Amino acid sequence: MTHASDGPTTLSPARIRLALLALAMGGFGIGATEFVAMGLLPDMAADLLPGLAATSTEAANAAAGWIISAYALGVVVGAPTIAAAAARWPRKRLLLVLLAAFSVGTLASALLPTFELVVAARFAAALPHGAYFGIASLVAAGLMGPGKRARGVALVLSGLTISNVVGVPLITWLGQQAGWRVAYVAVAAIFVATFVAVAAAVPWQAGDPSATIVRELRVFTRVQAWFALAIGAIGFGGLFAVYSYVAPLATEVTGLPASFVPVVLVVFGLGMTIGNLVGGRLADWSVRRSMYLFFATLAGSLVLTALTAWHPLGLGAGVFLVGASAAALSPTIQARLMDIARDSQSIAAALNHSALNIGNSLGAIVGGMVIAAGLGYVAPVWVGLLFTVAGSALALATFSLDRARRRRGIPMPSVTGAIGAIVD
């Protein structure tokens, strides 16, 4: 692809790259606002729940997991609601509104004084998350052109994974030195910078003038859509059961000092960055085979982490592979949802992030429960394995249903027409 439409003019390859970079910057900010809490969870627990922390550090850390779960639940609520209601909006305008909302919600998270208000702010800050990734993925798919759909999605998500290599560790370090509230102010500044970049670089794209809330919500009438959502929601619990409590896992089980937590987050982020890019490329080759491969790798990675987390090298290898295999699943599940959505592309692109953040919430909640029960910080890793096995079973079921449809001569869904409409 050498150009894309931008009203009456054409975009040069350099302009397309700048537009994709601006979209990825939003992913970078989202990765920071979502994942900084993982590394700063003990600090937030000590500051916001001082009475409980004085009694039991484990109980305070487990309770503070609600900060993570509240964000995840906000994504679940906001993604389908905003995507369905705003499908007719010009896509660039919608992206700018969502980035403004991110900026305000993240700043509120930094400034509000009590645990309950911070939890509420995290919920509000998460509402634009899924809609941003959904609309940005559609814009990126159009800029990339036919046959590169999953790679376009992966490029947008690369901002999130690179954030886990650079942004999250650096902002975690900043939070450890200057306080967790300063960390969230820094994240809000990233969103302001992204607003400027999107305004300057992303071409104007019309929304879908024929879209209606009813048509977008029609995706929920399809059994395969529910399978895809369940695969993301349950399967991704495996990642977040580990990631939510990686800071106390590193300090209490591996015996690393708190100053090494950002290093662990860098390793996690490197795995996610590589896995996301590999997943986007392989999903364009075969969604089904890629999903099987990445679920199997995630399961093996969780077992490795659980058995070797007591040693720094074991922890490093485990979190790298967990991050890589889970991140590779994200564009794969996104492509699957877009395949089965037909004319409900806006909501389908956003729903992937609702599903993944249900997994985020489930992983954090159940992981916190087993910690609070006194089973230790390795227990959430085994919980994650159970989620991963369940996600694998759902993947087998959904593709078995595809085979049954083919045997009966029912046409399989395709997203080619929808993506082609975006290109021009």
Side-chain angles (χ1 to χ4, degrees), residues 233-267:
I234 295 173
F236 254 64
L239 169 65
F240 288 107
V242 179
Y243 203 2
S244 298
Y245 302 100
V246 70
L249 178 67
T251 56
E252 303 299 324
V253 176
T254 316
L256 297 171
S259 59
F260 269 70
V261 170
V263 177
V264 177
L265 295 176
V266 168
V267 174

Side-chain angles (χ1 to χ4, degrees), residues 203-394:
W204 188 264
Q205 286 192 6
D208 184 350
S210 64
T212 64
I213 292 178
V214 171
R215 193 190 78 178
E216 291 292 321
L217 294 177
R218 198 176 295 151
V219 70
F220 290 112
T221 66
R222 296 166 190 146
V223 172
Q224 288 288 43
W226 286 103
F227 267 113
L229 292 173
I231 289 168
I234 295 173
F236 254 64
L239 169 65
F240 288 107
V242 179
Y243 203 2
S244 298
Y245 302 100
V246 70
L249 178 67
T251 56
E252 303 299 324
V253 176
T254 316
L256 297 171
S259 59
F260 269 70
V261 170
V263 177
V264 177
L265 295 176
V266 168
V267 174
F268 223 134
L270 283 171
M272 293 179 72
T273 300
I274 295 170
N276 173 64
L277 295 175
V278 171
R281 184 166 293 275
L282 291 185
D284 280 330
W285 162 65
S286 172
V287 170
R288 177 178 61 85
R289 292 189 181 102
S290 297
M291 198 175 294
Y292 290 160
L293 171 64
F294 299 139
F295 265 125
T297 307
L298 179 57
S301 303
L302 288 163
V303 173
L304 175 67
T305 304
L307 295 179
T308 65
W310 58 272
H311 193 280
L313 290 179
L315 178 69
V319 299
F320 177 86
L321 291 171
V322 168
S325 50
L329 278 167
S330 185
T332 308
I333 297 171
Q334 179 85 76
R336 175 64 177 171
L337 266 170
M338 293 169 75
D339 277 339
I340 63 182
R342 302 175 200 169
D343 58 355
S344 304
Q345 288 294 301
S346 293
I347 194 170
L351 279 172
N352 184 41
H353 300 280
S354 285
L356 302 187
N357 277 272
I358 291 173
N360 184 337
S361 184
L362 287 173
I365 289 172
V366 180
M369 289 172 62
V370 296
I371 291 171
L375 298 179
Y377 288 111
V378 175
V381 183
W382 293 115
V383 168
L385 179 62
L386 295 177
F387 280 124
T388 300
V389 170
S392 304
L394 288 167

Side-chain angles (χ1 to χ4, degrees), residues 186-210:
V187 175
I190 293 172
F191 282 123
V192 173
T194 304
F195 181 97
V196 174
V198 169
V202 173
W204 188 264
Q205 286 192 6
D208 184 350
S210 64

